[in-house]
């Protein structure tokens, strides 16, 4: 039993439950024996008060607006690190030494190509298919091509699958884009960085050499780092839940992609930019603020609010700076950025948003940057999926390696009919 306990009284009886302490953050009440002892479940739709697992990867303090990966603050990683370093950190727990980084980068770079037959899959999609629909399908299909890395009981195979997923995701996403605009697929080029290679596969054409713009490469790298992991968010929990049954890693990541697609999660960057464009000019902001506050109107300010952050999302701070830098350095005058900044200013001074602690999240400014780089809005969530794959595989590996891991199987509060007898159709 832990040092501290929590007591629960149910009817006449009282029960004690241990409080578990992490390295930092709130204690958790260990209720694993609750049902066996009391016959009662806990009720927590949306998991607002539930720690679903133990994890040593990412820590968020939502009140302070702090995000740490393996202890390192996100702003320091965004400022100083490469995406490969962050990937190594998330998966292996430490920033790599020089030789470790070289080996890791080499390995990822050598897994970037897709099986030739898999490339044929793309032709089966409509040209106007959403890239996320293609991502779900193609990533799920990886399990049909890479059988030698689907035995999840073998740590070596798990690592090969992880490397494959991180390496192939840029190729898969870039091909989804190329297919949608009817341009030939660009094959990976190993002398480029992870980000540079992705940019070339997306924006390059076989007819001429492609020069990676260092400003764009730097911005893209930072965006990938900002999206790499985020604790037990909806898509990561989906990956863990899918993986808890023993499903192969490619199927699990496809499940994560499906979850990320929703506008309340990764789809918010697309929705945020669409909203800013719809607002169009700063003078229309009050109308949208009023709609967001109106209980009868389902409209929400996209890119605002977060389940965990009740303060400024630290990623949004970095993203706002990247937006300013990229627009400035690429000499782009985008009125949408002015709308975004003004909307943020007005919302942060509005009683409704202050009281509900609604601040810009990472998606608020990312659309402005991605649009300036040249991505269509439909690609935004696909880029998020690409970067988040690192977090997904890190969390999936952590779960599979946990000796206490068991299938995730929540219970429910049943409110349907009690038992009744079947009635033949002519008697209903
Ligand atoms: N605009 C207006 N009001 C909002 C917003 C918003 N963006 N977000 C929350 N609220 C209000 C809700 O109406 C609710 O008000 P009430 O208490 O009067 O009913 C209150 O704030 C709490 O909102 P919940 O939906 O209960 O908070 P929850 O933690 O479940 O939702 C979420 C978080 C989904 C992110 C929400 O803030 C939202 O829908 N934001 C817009 C979508 C978005 O930007 N998603 C990206 C999240 S970050 C990411 O996935 C990378």
């Amino acid at each position: 039993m832990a040092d501290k306990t929590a007591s629960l009284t149910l009817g006449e009886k009282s029960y004690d439950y241990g409080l578990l302490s992490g390295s930092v953050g709130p204690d958790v009440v260990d209720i694993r024996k609750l049902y066996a002892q009391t016959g009662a479940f806990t009720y927590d739709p949306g998991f607002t008060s539930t720690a679903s697992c133990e994890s040593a990867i990412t820590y968020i303090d939502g009140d302070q607006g702090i995000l740490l990966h393996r202890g390192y603050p996100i702003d320091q990683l965004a400022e100083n690190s490469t995406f490969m370093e962050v990937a190594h950190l998330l998966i292996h727990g430490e920033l790599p030494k020089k030789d470790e980084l070289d080996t890791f980068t080499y390995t990822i770079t050598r897994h970037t190509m897709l099986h030739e037959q898999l490339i044929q899959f793309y032709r089966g999609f409509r040209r106007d298919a959403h890239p996320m629909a293609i991502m779900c399908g193609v990533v799920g299909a990886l399990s049909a091509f890479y059988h030698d890395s689907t035995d999840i009981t073998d740590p070596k195979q798990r690592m090969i699958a992880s490397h494959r997923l991180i390496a192939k995701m840029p190729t898969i996403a870039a091909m989804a884009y190329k297919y949608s605009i009817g341009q030939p697929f660009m094959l990976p080029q190993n002398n480029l960085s992870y980000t540079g290679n992705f940019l070339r596969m997306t924006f390059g054409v076989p007819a001429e050499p492609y020069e990676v713009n260092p400003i764009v490469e730097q911005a893209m790298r930072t965006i990938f780092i900002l999206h790499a992991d985020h604790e037990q968010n909806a898509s990561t929990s989906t990956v863990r839940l899918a993986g808890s049954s023993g499903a192969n890693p490619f199927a699990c990541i496809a499940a994560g992609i499906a979850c990320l697609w929703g506008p309340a999660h990764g789809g918010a960057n697309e929705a945020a930019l669409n909203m800013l464009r719809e607002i169009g000019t700063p003078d229309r902001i009050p109308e949208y603020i009023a709609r967001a506050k109106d209980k009868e109107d389902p409209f929400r300010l996209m890119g605002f609010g977060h389940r965990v952050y009740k303060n400024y999302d630290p990623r949004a701070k970095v993203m706002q700076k990247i937006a300013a830098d990229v627009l400035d350095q690429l000499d782009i005058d985008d009125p949408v950025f002015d709308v975004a900044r003004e909307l943020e200013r007005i919302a942060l001074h509005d009683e409704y948003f202050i009281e509900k602690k609604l601040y810009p999240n990472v998606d608020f400014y990312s659309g402005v940057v991605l649009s300036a780089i040249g991505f269509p809005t439909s690609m935004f969530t696909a880029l998020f999926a690409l970067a988040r794959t690192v977090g997904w595989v890190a969390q999936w590996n952590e779960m599979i390696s946990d000796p206490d891991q068991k299938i995730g199987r929540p219970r429910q509060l049943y409110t349907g009919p009690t038992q009744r007898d079947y009635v033949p159709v002519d008697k209903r």
Side-chain angles (χ1 to χ4, degrees):
M1 180 70 73
D3 293 351
K4 294 181 265 181
T5 55
S7 300
L8 175 73
T9 306
L10 275 177
E12 310 269 280
K13 281 195 167 170
S14 198
Y15 305 87
D16 284 341
Y17 295 97
L19 249 71
L20 305 177
S21 299
S23 42
V24 58
D27 288 341
V28 302
V29 185
D30 181 359
I31 55 156
R32 278 176 289 185
K33 294 206 170 76
L34 181 91
Y35 177 57
Q37 289 176 342
T38 67
F41 296 139
T42 54
Y43 182 61
D44 186 19
F47 306 110
T48 51
S49 299
T50 297
S52 62
C53 63
E54 192 179 309
S55 180
I57 301 176
T58 291
Y59 173 72
I60 304 172
D61 182 331
D63 293 323
Q64 303 287 328
I66 290 171
L67 168 60
L68 309 176
H69 289 321
R70 303 280 191 186
Y72 295 103
I74 189 66
D75 50 322
Q76 291 185 23
L77 293 171
E79 177 79 28
N80 303 306
S81 210
T82 65
F83 189 61
M84 286 296 95
E85 270 193 304
V86 173
H88 187 284
L89 174 71
L90 289 169
I91 294 172
H92 298 293
E94 293 298 338
L95 285 170
K97 296 192 176 73
K98 172 81 176 74
D99 58 328
E100 291 169 332
L101 180 61
D102 290 347
T103 307
F104 185 75
T105 307
Y106 182 90
T107 307
I108 297 296
T109 311
R110 264 70 196 171
H111 276 299
T112 48
M113 291 198 300
L114 289 190
H115 192 289
E116 202 49 30
Q117 246 175 301
L118 191 55
I119 296 174
Q120 307 304 319
F121 263 52
Y122 283 81
R123 316 262 176 231
F125 289 102
R126 282 171 55 133
R127 288 279 176 194
D128 60 357
H130 195 286
M132 286 296 275
I134 298 182
M135 301 279 283
C136 282
V138 176
V139 173
L142 291 174
S143 44
F145 290 87
Y146 300 102
H147 293 282
D148 59 343
S149 53
T150 51
D151 178 1
I152 63 154
T153 61
D154 178 353
K156 227 169 146 187
Q157 289 202 29
R158 291 205 297 271
M159 204 40 72
I160 295 172
S162 304
H163 292 153
R164 281 182 167 146
L165 278 157
I166 295 168
K168 293 183 198 306
M169 208 55 100
T171 317
I172 293 170
M175 283 183 174
Y177 173 66
K178 285 297 194 198
Y179 186 70
S180 73
I181 55 169
Q183 284 188 359
F185 296 140
M186 294 289 285
L187 297 179
Q189 196 172 298
N190 286 352
N191 62 339
L192 297 174
S193 70
Y194 186 85
T195 315
N197 186 34
F198 172 63
L199 288 168
R200 183 185 159 274
M201 287 192 289
T202 305
F203 297 118
V205 288
E208 59 193 28
Y210 177 79
E211 287 272 324
V212 179
N213 180 330
I215 296 162
V216 173
E217 187 179 20
Q218 174 82 352
M220 203 71 243
R221 173 205 69 105
T222 314
I223 291 172
F224 284 169
I225 291 174
L226 293 181
H227 287 87
D229 192 47
H230 211 228
E231 205 226 52
Q232 307 310 321
N233 58 85
S235 56
T236 302
S237 297
T238 301
V239 170
R240 279 186 178 258
L241 197 55
S244 76
S245 72
N248 74 70
F250 305 107
C252 297
I253 301 303
I257 294 171
C259 178
L260 187 76
W261 195 355
H265 192 10
N269 51 15
E270 185 175 343
L273 190 72
N274 289 338
M275 178 194 74
L276 293 171
R277 285 194 177 138
E278 191 184 302
I279 297 174
T281 47
D283 58 301
R284 297 192 61 206
I285 291 172
E287 180 195 325
Y288 283 82
I289 296 265
R291 283 187 61 196
K293 288 156 65 172
D294 181 358
K295 281 235 168 293
E296 304 303 314
D297 191 331
F299 174 77
R300 284 185 169 201
L301 277 194
M302 300 313 287
F304 251 79
H306 198 275
R307 169 60 62 78
V308 182
Y309 293 117
K310 301 303 166 198
N311 200 326
Y312 213 102
D313 178 342
R315 302 167 301 170
K317 269 190 197 148
V318 180
M319 197 64 86
Q320 188 197 43
K321 187 173 175 309
I322 304 175
D325 288 353
V326 166
L327 294 183
D328 179 42
Q329 294 190 45
L330 298 184
D331 206 14
I332 295 173
D333 183 18
D334 188 347
V336 159
F337 189 46
D338 300 333
V339 173
R341 277 194 293 203
E342 184 59 6
L343 179 61
E344 176 189 338
R345 195 190 62 76
I346 294 177
L348 293 183
H349 289 88
D350 188 290
E351 203 42 52
Y352 174 93
F353 291 88
I354 295 170
E355 190 210 316
K356 293 190 189 308
K357 300 187 176 163
L358 299 169
Y359 293 84
N361 60 49
V362 67
D363 291 324
F364 191 64
Y365 286 106
S366 62
V368 177
V369 189
L370 295 174
S371 171
I373 291 175
F375 290 102
T377 46
S378 61
M379 275 298 286
F380 292 1
T381 316
L383 299 175
F384 192 159
L386 185 173
R388 183 55 59 86
T389 297
V390 163
W392 288 333
V393 300
Q395 301 265 355
W396 174 80
N397 272 295
E398 183 183 64
M399 178 190 69
I400 302 288
S401 322
D402 180 350
D404 288 338
Q405 185 268 325
K406 41 169 88 172
I407 186 165
R409 194 351 180 146
R411 301 306 299 265
Q412 63 174 7
L413 175 65
Y414 177 69
T415 55
T418 53
Q419 185 170 332
R420 49 185 173 165
D421 290 326
Y422 176 81
V423 181
V425 69
D426 57 334
K427 300 249 167 52
R428 282 173 219 159

